[in-house]
Amino acid sequence: HILKDTLCAEGKYKLKFDKPFFNEFVLECPIPAAQIIKAAAKKGFLAGYDLGRVDKNLNNCLLICATETKTRKELEDFASFMRGI
């Protein structure tokens, strides 16, 4: 939830669904998720899954999973990358 809160804090990204979640959440992005995934890979991040691959209405939606295996620093680095998109 830390990553979701951080990414949604500035309003650039929005939580797509307002249902409770455990590790995975869907982020609505200002650009196609495929572009984010490609840019993230160049920086060494595995950004998530492009939901537009299964439903064209979710083209700008990114399925993100953050578990306890990620450190606070890794979450902050990813959030910093996402702010720069």
Side-chain angles (χ1 to χ4, degrees):
H1 289 250
I2 292 169
L3 182 58
K4 184 268 301 177
D5 291 343
T6 302
L7 292 173
C8 293
E10 297 174 9
K12 183 176 189 177
Y13 300 99
K14 297 177 181 143
L15 194 61
K16 179 69 173 173
F17 306 105
D18 64 349
K19 303 295 182 200
F21 67 91
F22 184 60
N23 291 331
E24 298 174 339
F25 61 95
V26 178
L27 200 63
E28 190 169 5
C29 306
I31 62 173
Q35 290 179 348
I36 294 172
I37 291 167
K38 188 174 183 177
K42 290 179 182 176
K43 297 289 185 178
F45 295 110
L46 180 59
Y49 183 77
D50 174 9
L51 290 175
R53 295 179 67 186
V54 294
D55 184 337
K56 67 178 181 165
N57 294 317
L58 299 174
N59 197 38
N60 284 26
C61 293
L62 185 62
L63 177 65
I64 295 178
C65 180
T67 68
E68 70 283 350
T69 64
K70 300 299 174 204
T71 66
R72 176 78 105 172
K73 171 88 168 89
E74 288 172 315
L75 297 177
E76 289 171 1
D77 289 347
F78 180 69
S80 178
F81 160 78
M82 292 292 283
R83 280 192 288 277
I85 293 286

